[in-house]
C-alpha cells in the first residue's frame, strides 16, 4: 500500500511539473518571443491595414469578388480547391483525373472569356489550385493577362497598370518572379482614386 501511495504522489508531482512547464511556461515563452519587435506582425497574421481597417493578410490570397462581374477592376488570385465552408485545402486529384481535367478546362474557358483572349493564352497558375488554395501571389504572366481588363475597368492607362504590376513583383518565396495580389489591388485602388 505504501508503494502505491508513493507512486501516486510521484505521478502527481510529474503531472504538476509538466502542466506548469508545458501548459503555462512554454506557451508564455512562445508568445513573448513572437512579440519581440520585428516579429510581432508575423505573429499576428501579417495583417495588412488601410486607414485603420484590416483589408487582408500578406500571407493569404483571397480572390476578390467584384460587385459587378461585368465591371471587374481587380486582379485575381489562383483558384482554390477548397469547398464551401472549408478554409483551405488541395484537391488531391492527379493530372489524369477526369474531374480535375474537366475543372481546369472550365476554368480556362471562364478566364479566357473574362480576359477576352483565346484559351491557349491562359497561364497554368490561372487554372490550377495550389496545395493550400490560398497563395498570395500569381505569376507575372497571369498578372499581365489581367492588366488590360483592370486598366479598362478602372480607367487607368495600361502603362500605369503594368508599372503597378512591376512594383509588386518579387521572388514571392517560390524562386521565380511572382506578383502579390493584395498589395497590387490596393495600389490599383489608390491609383484609381479609391473609387473601386
Amino acid at each position: 500500500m505504501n508503494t502505491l501511495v508513493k507512486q501516486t504522489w510521484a505521478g502527481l508531482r510529474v503531472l504538476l511539473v509538466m502542466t506548469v512547464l508545458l501548459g503555462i511556461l512554454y506557451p508564455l515563452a512562445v508568445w513573448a518571443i513572437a512579440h519581440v519587435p520585428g516579429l510581432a506582425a508575423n505573429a499576428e497574421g501579417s495583417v495588412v491595414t488601410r486607414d485603420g481597417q484590416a483589408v487582408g493578410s500578406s500571407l493569404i490570397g483571397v480572390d476578390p469578388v467584384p460587385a459587378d462581374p461585368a465591371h471587374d477592376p481587380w486582379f485575381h488570385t489562383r483558384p482554390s480547391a477548397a469547398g464551401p465552408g472549408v478554409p483551405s485545402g488541395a484537391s488531391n486529384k492527379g493530372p489524369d483525373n477526369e474531374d480535375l481535367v474537366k475543372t481546369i478546362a472550365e476554368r480556362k474557358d471562364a478566364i479566357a472569356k473574362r480576359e477576352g483572349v483565346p484559351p491557349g493564352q491562359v497561364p497554368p497558375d490561372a487554372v490550377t489550385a495550389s496545395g493550400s488554395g490560398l497563395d498570395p501571389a500569381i505569376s507575372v504572366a497571369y498578372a499581365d493577362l489581367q492588366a488590360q481588363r483592370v486598366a479598362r475597368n478602372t480607367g487607368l492607362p495600361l502603362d500605369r497598370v503594368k508599372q503597378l504590376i512591376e512594383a509588386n513583383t518579387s521572388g514571392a518565396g517560390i524562386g521565380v518572379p511572382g506578383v502579390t495580389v493584395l498589395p497590387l489591388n490596393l495600389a490599383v485602388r489608390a491609383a484609381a482614386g479609391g473609387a473601386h
Side-chain angles (χ1 to χ4, degrees):
M1 184 70 172
N2 196 14
T3 304
L4 180 61
V5 171
K6 284 183 179 180
Q7 289 177 342
T8 301
W9 280 113
L12 287 173
R13 283 194 304 267
V14 169
L15 176 65
L16 180 64
V17 168
M18 290 304 201
T19 299
V20 170
L21 281 175
L22 301 176
I24 298 171
L25 296 179
Y26 177 74
L28 283 175
V30 170
W31 181 86
I33 291 169
H35 286 81
V36 169
L39 298 178
N42 291 342
E44 297 298 331
S46 300
V47 176
V48 176
T49 59
R50 290 294 182 270
D51 302 323
Q53 286 289 107
V55 294
S57 168
S58 63
L59 302 176
I60 298 174
V62 178
D63 201 31
V65 178
D68 176 10
H71 181 78
D72 182 359
W74 306 118
F75 284 91
H76 291 271
T77 60
R78 293 179 68 179
S80 173
V86 180
S88 169
S91 70
N92 293 329
K93 294 177 181 173
D96 294 332
N97 182 283
E98 290 177 21
D99 291 337
L100 179 63
V101 172
K102 180 182 173 190
T103 299
I104 287 174
E106 289 169 355
R107 288 175 183 161
K108 187 177 277 193
D109 289 342
I111 290 170
K113 182 179 177 186
R114 181 183 76 201
E115 305 303 339
V117 297
Q121 289 185 11
V122 177
D125 68 314
V127 295
T128 54
S130 65
S132 68
L134 300 174
D135 282 357
I138 57 175
S139 68
V140 175
Y142 189 25
D144 285 342
L145 178 72
Q146 299 180 70
Q148 185 73 44
R149 173 185 47 79
V150 170
R152 180 177 60 249
N153 289 329
T154 59
L156 291 171
L158 181 58
D159 288 344
R160 179 66 179 128
V161 173
K162 290 193 176 212
Q163 288 171 352
L164 294 173
I165 291 171
E166 187 175 330
N168 287 282
T169 300
S170 67
I174 53 176
V176 295
V179 182
T180 310
V181 176
L182 177 61
L184 175 57
N185 279 335
L186 292 172
V188 166
R189 181 179 175 189
H196 300 283

